[in-house]
């Protein structure tokens, strides 16, 4: 069965790998398979040199220094490493963490774990009906015991962008650490410099391979130490485990392409997404969640009227889009993001997420609209 036969509008869950990245990945899997830590033989030495080159390149692209970068298996590991690592290192001095109700479950479940088993005092900020946080509420919730603020840059379900620079100014003013989950931002909003103290990414969200990501911990004026999550061979200061060179080469190529293409791609996807929303509104009286907020270029979270639910569920057999974030699919629970924005269970149930990529074409949207119109006019088709 060929997976490519279904138009794919679920790019916040994961993206198709870029052909150039796949070439690099294949080349490295075939020829550079030695362990970069085995520097006692020539193949290991070559792989070690390549590892150093790619790590430096990733650091340069992210505008950080190489010793601020940890390679991980993806954003979930980066988030766990950042939050648990900081908490276990400093909780005896400060144990208060501030986050938000619309964060990804990798953040929320990690906080819940620290709260339930290690005495963390967690404050989750509310959002308004557009998915935005209130910066005054953030500042008011900081107190002398506050260790860390965890707020994402771009929301995976609605695409809402949090004001990272303002948040950073507030955390700096109060000498509190700021971890920003930037996973959904790469290739979807223009990034020049990420100001947060810690941030992360996952290659499969930006046309790279699955199972590889990174965490950045900036060298701050006061050095931040982490309690490591994974213990073992100490291949990286805070992260043990064999260095997956082919995946790192893939990550480095994918990130290079993000920055090289971002102006062109973001503009193109945004036009596609906006056209999608405009055309959709002409066919069905939909509500676009967080339409009034600043959003990443590719995400459209749409609530349909009740009578269209069956139509949408039928279309899901021919087109790939999602009902909640892929990570919470199957849990049976309504989306915590839309719930936090004040939607009822029924409204959440009628909401669908379309997330586009650089590979989507106008023709795929037209096909979707044709099928939508057909399905509305022939309710039992
Ligand atoms: N953070 C955000 C905002 C996400 O959207 C995701 C994945 O959906 C993650 C973290 C977890 O990423 P990964 O699956 O690569 O671990």
């Amino acid at each position: 069965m060929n997976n490519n036969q279904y138009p794919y509008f679920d790019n916040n869950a994961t993206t198709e790998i870029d052909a150039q990245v796949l070439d690099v990945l294949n080349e490295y899997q075939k020829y550079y398979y030695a362990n970069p830590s085995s520097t006692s033989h020539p193949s290991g030495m070559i792989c070690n040199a390549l590892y150093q080159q790619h790590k430096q390149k990733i650091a340069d692209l992210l505008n950080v220094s190489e010793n601020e970068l940890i390679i991980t298996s993806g954003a979930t590991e980066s988030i766990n490493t950042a939050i648990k690592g900081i908490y276990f290192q400093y909780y005896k001095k400060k144990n208060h963490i501030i986050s938000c109700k619309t964060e990804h479950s990798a953040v929320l479940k990690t906080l819940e774990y620290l709260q339930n088993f290690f005495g963390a005092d967690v404050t989750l900020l509310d959002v308004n009906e557009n998915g935005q946080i209130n910066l005054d509420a953030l500042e008011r919730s900081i107190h002398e015991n506050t260790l860390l603020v965890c707020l994402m840059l771009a929301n995976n379900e609605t695409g809402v962008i949090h004001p990272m620079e303002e948040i950073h100014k507030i955390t700096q003013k109060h000498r509190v650490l700021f971890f920003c989950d930037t996973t959904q931002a790469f290739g979807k909003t223009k990034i020049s410099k990420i100001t947060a103290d810690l941030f992360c990414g996952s290659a499969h969200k930006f046309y790279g391979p699955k199972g590889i990501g990174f965490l950045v911990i900036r060298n701050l004026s006061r050095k931040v130490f982490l309690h490591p999550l994974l213990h073992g061979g100490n291949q990286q200061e805070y992260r043990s485990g064999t260095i997956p060179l082919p995946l790192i080469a893939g990550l480095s190529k994918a990130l290079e392409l993000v920055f090289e293409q971002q102006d062109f791609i973001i503009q193109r996807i945004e036009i596609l997404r906006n056209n999608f929303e405009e055309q959709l509104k002409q066919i069905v009286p939909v509500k676009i969640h967080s339409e009034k907020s600043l959003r990443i270029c590719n995400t459209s979270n749409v609530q349909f009227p009740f009578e269209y639910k069956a139509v949408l569920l039928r279309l899901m057999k021919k087109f790939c889009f999602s009902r909640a974030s892929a990570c919470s699919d199957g849990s049976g629970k309504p989306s915590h993001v839309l719930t936090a924005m004040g939607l009822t269970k029924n409204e959440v149930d009628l909401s669908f997420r379309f997330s586009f990529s650089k590979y989507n074409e106008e023709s795929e949207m037209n096909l979707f609209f044709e099928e939508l119109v057909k399905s509305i006019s022939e309710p039992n088709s």
Side-chain angles (χ1 to χ4, degrees):
M1 192 164 55
N2 180 2
N3 209 12
N4 289 341
Q5 66 185 302
Y6 306 106
Y8 187 77
F9 307 142
D10 195 21
N11 291 280
N12 285 5
T14 197
T15 53
E16 177 183 343
I17 194 165
D18 187 294
Q20 292 184 61
V21 177
L22 189 58
D23 284 347
V24 170
L25 188 63
N26 285 336
E27 184 196 347
Y28 273 70
Q29 293 282 19
K30 192 161 167 51
Y31 298 110
Y32 302 107
Y33 50 82
N35 189 326
S37 302
S38 302
T39 47
S40 54
H41 57 67
S43 290
M45 277 193 283
I46 291 170
C47 287
N48 188 279
L50 288 168
Y51 163 59
Q52 303 297 343
Q53 275 172 30
H54 283 295
K55 204 170 174 195
Q56 188 60 56
K57 183 172 137 191
I58 296 166
D60 291 345
L61 288 164
L62 293 171
N63 230 325
V64 301
S65 73
E66 184 269 330
N67 63 7
E68 293 175 310
L69 179 67
I70 304 177
I71 302 295
T72 65
S73 63
T76 301
E77 184 191 325
S78 301
I79 290 167
N80 274 266
T81 303
I83 300 177
K84 290 179 188 163
I86 286 180
Y87 187 77
F88 290 141
Q89 188 72 32
Y90 297 106
Y91 75 98
K92 286 185 185 147
K93 290 188 190 138
K94 294 179 174 194
N95 73 339
H96 180 225
I97 303 178
I98 300 169
S99 188
C100 175
K101 290 181 179 166
T102 53
E103 290 293 304
H104 189 269
S105 52
V107 168
L108 293 175
K109 295 280 176 186
T110 301
L111 294 177
E112 198 179 295
Y113 170 77
L114 293 179
Q115 191 172 31
N116 290 344
F117 296 102
F118 296 93
D121 175 13
V122 176
T123 300
L124 294 181
L125 299 173
D126 288 317
V127 292
N128 64 15
E129 70 278 16
N130 297 315
Q132 297 154 325
I133 53 162
N134 180 320
L135 292 177
D136 292 332
L138 166 64
E139 188 155 14
R140 277 197 309 274
S141 62
I142 297 176
H143 54 66
E144 72 284 354
N145 237 356
T146 306
L147 173 63
L148 180 66
V149 168
C150 303
L151 290 169
M152 69 202 325
L153 181 52
N155 188 278
N156 45 304
E157 292 194 37
T158 58
V160 170
I161 296 178
H162 281 160
M164 179 177 60
E165 275 158 34
E166 276 101 320
I167 295 169
H168 190 226
K169 280 190 195 132
I170 293 172
T171 56
Q172 274 187 315
K173 181 173 149 197
H174 295 276
R175 294 181 61 79
V176 169
L177 290 168
F178 173 30
F179 166 58
C180 187
D181 175 3
T182 48
T183 308
Q184 287 290 350
F186 294 95
K188 300 172 189 167
T189 182
K190 204 167 166 203
I191 292 180
S192 43
K193 189 167 168 63
I194 297 174
T195 52
D197 301 326
L198 298 98
F199 62 93
C200 64
S202 200
H204 74 101
K205 304 285 188 192
F206 48 87
Y207 317 102
K210 300 185 204 320
I212 189 82
F214 60 85
L215 169 66
V216 167
I217 310 165
R218 288 189 179 283
N219 290 328
L220 304 169
S221 52
R222 57 205 194 289
K223 171 119 177 88
V224 176
F225 295 96
L226 281 195
H227 194 93
L229 190 66
L230 302 178
H231 298 91
N234 276 353
Q235 284 87 347
Q236 300 181 79
E237 189 185 357
Y238 291 122
R239 205 267 187 186
S240 291
T242 298
I243 304 289
L245 178 61
L247 291 173
I248 294 172
L251 162 65
S252 125
K253 186 68 193 176
L255 205 56
E256 175 194 314
L257 294 176
V258 161
F259 287 102
E260 203 176 279
Q261 302 175 342
Q262 69 175 351
D263 290 342
F264 162 72
I265 279 180
I266 290 171
Q267 198 189 18
R268 185 182 169 278
I269 303 177
E270 191 157 28
I271 292 173
L272 210 67
R273 190 268 315 265
N274 292 351
N275 285 346
F276 172 79
E277 293 183 350
E278 285 318 308
Q279 281 181 259
L280 188 58
K281 282 182 198 164
Q282 286 170 22
I283 303 172
V284 184
V286 292
K287 179 178 177 209
I288 313 285
H289 296 306
S290 303
E291 196 178 9
K292 294 200 182 80
S293 303
L294 188 62
R295 286 181 294 166
I296 43 176
C297 67
N298 77 323
T299 308
S300 197
N301 197 315
V302 188
Q303 185 185 321
F304 289 79
F306 175 74
E307 58 273 28
Y308 292 90
K309 182 175 164 186
V311 169
L312 265 293
L313 293 180
R314 272 204 303 281
L315 286 179
M316 281 187 108
K317 298 199 171 98
K318 295 185 182 166
F319 297 86
C320 304
F321 55 99
S322 70
R323 289 192 76 182
S325 83
C327 302
S328 54
D329 260 358
S331 68
K333 288 191 190 149
S335 148
H336 68 278
V337 175
L338 299 182
T339 304
M341 286 162 56
L343 274 77
T344 64
K345 199 165 174 294
N346 284 341
E347 288 168 334
V348 174
D349 196 41
L350 296 168
S351 299
F352 296 81
R353 181 188 70 183
F354 299 81
S355 49
F356 304 108
S357 81
K358 64 179 179 179
Y359 296 121
N360 285 124
E361 299 284 348
E362 201 75 42
S363 57
E364 293 174 297
M365 313 257 169
N366 293 338
L367 196 62
F368 178 79
F369 292 129
E370 272 171 37
E371 290 284 334
L372 176 64
V373 171
K374 201 166 101 191
S375 197
I376 293 169
S377 59
E378 302 164 16
N380 298 319
S381 65

